[in-house]
Amino acid sequence: MNFSIHTPSESNKVNVYKTYSHKNTCPDSCALKNNGCYAENFHVNMHWQKVTDGERGSDWQSLLDSIKALPTGATWRHNIAGDLVGEREKIDGRALVELTRASIYRKKRGFTYTHYPLSSHNTALIKAANKQGFTINTSADNVGQAVKRFKDGLPTVVVLPIDAPNVQTIDGVKIVACPNDKSDRVKCGNCAHSFCGNSKRDFVIGFRAHGTKKKQADIIARSI
């Protein structure tokens, strides 16, 4: 099982350190798997497949060592593509503890997203990681699901319809579309501390369906 980590280029300081995890980390229950996932777009998917096939990247321990070695206070995003390590629909608790410890070492600020189902086992692990300082956003398929998760105390992101507004409030919960949708100058490096990397934010973050399979993702976003 391979993983890869990439550093921001000298010419793009607003980017962040980022990783990829092999495709087998994605739970089969994810509604977007092979059905509109943005990571299945050509350029991202090309690298992702090479990581999955073992042509690029390294093993789990090497990934942990690389994360620990990031500069003090660095912001990093786990999984441009892929999910947390686990088996079938169950997050690997030991692996998540190792990842969390690597992330908070020297006060780094890591964040990620997960489509694992929110069983009691998975929910407890996600909440523990967030409490310790590694932000895990639960990924919802529609705004109804997102509102419920947010009210249950979980940092939440959601796929939005293509034509969704920048800001909307549903059942008392504010949903804010990712600023990058409207401005290429907004990147994770200058946004994460108040958006995806902030587990204590008071709103849900939405990502409009995008990429070559956005019509499929749009259908999921409009489901109830």
Side-chain angles (χ1 to χ4, degrees):
M1 292 186 179
N2 269 30
F3 308 83
S4 68
I5 186 166
H6 304 268
T7 60
S9 66
E10 287 297 321
S11 61
N12 194 353
K13 290 298 186 180
V14 294
N15 245 318
V16 300
Y17 300 90
K18 53 194 177 182
T19 71
Y20 286 74
S21 296
H22 58 89
K23 291 186 176 184
N24 293 334
T25 57
C26 292
D28 290 337
S29 59
C30 175
L32 295 169
K33 188 172 184 178
N34 301 317
N35 188 38
C37 176
Y38 80 93
E40 294 166 0
N41 294 327
F42 178 71
H43 291 292
V44 173
N45 190 53
M46 182 172 63
H47 174 71
W48 193 20
Q49 189 61 56
K50 289 182 181 297
V51 171
T52 301
D53 292 341
E55 296 178 35
R56 294 179 181 174
S58 55
D59 61 17
W60 178 245
Q61 186 58 53
S62 296
L63 175 69
L64 295 175
D65 292 341
S66 295
I67 294 168
K68 287 180 181 178
L70 295 178
T72 298
T75 298
W76 71 284
R77 173 182 172 180
H78 187 43
N79 291 336
I80 294 296
D83 209 309
L84 299 170
V85 174
E87 185 174 358
R88 298 179 184 271
E89 306 298 303
K90 186 177 181 180
I91 296 171
D92 184 323
R94 179 176 179 178
L96 183 53
V97 168
E98 293 174 337
L99 183 64
T100 300
R101 288 176 177 171
S103 180
I104 64 177
Y105 178 66
R106 297 200 302 189
K107 299 181 179 180
K108 288 180 283 294
R109 304 183 66 169
F111 67 96
T112 192
Y113 315 87
T114 185
H115 245 111
Y116 271 89
L118 296 182
S119 63
S120 58
H121 169 87
N122 291 342
T123 299
L125 290 172
I126 291 168
K127 287 186 174 181
N130 276 294
K131 185 176 181 179
Q132 292 174 55
F134 177 49
T135 300
I136 300 178
N137 296 281
T138 65
S139 297
D141 297 327
N142 55 65
V143 293
Q145 188 181 80
V147 166
K148 182 180 184 304
R149 293 183 176 190
F150 181 82
K151 289 186 174 182
D152 287 340
L154 292 164
T156 303
V157 299
V158 62
V159 59
L160 294 174
I162 295 170
D163 58 355
N166 289 336
V167 181
Q168 57 184 307
T169 299
I170 297 178
D171 198 15
V173 176
K174 183 186 290 186
I175 300 173
V176 182
C178 173
N180 178 252
D181 281 0
K182 294 296 183 181
S183 174
D184 288 338
R185 291 190 297 178
V186 179
K187 302 290 185 183
C188 290
N190 56 21
C191 178
H193 292 179
S194 57
F195 272 70
C196 295
N198 178 12
S199 65
K200 296 179 174 61
R201 63 181 185 270
D202 60 357
F203 56 92
V204 170
I205 300 169
F207 296 96
R208 294 183 182 90
H210 59 284
T212 57
K213 298 184 178 182
K214 62 184 179 182
K215 290 184 179 180
Q216 293 167 266
D218 183 72
I219 292 172
I220 293 172
R222 295 178 190 277
S223 65
I224 299 176

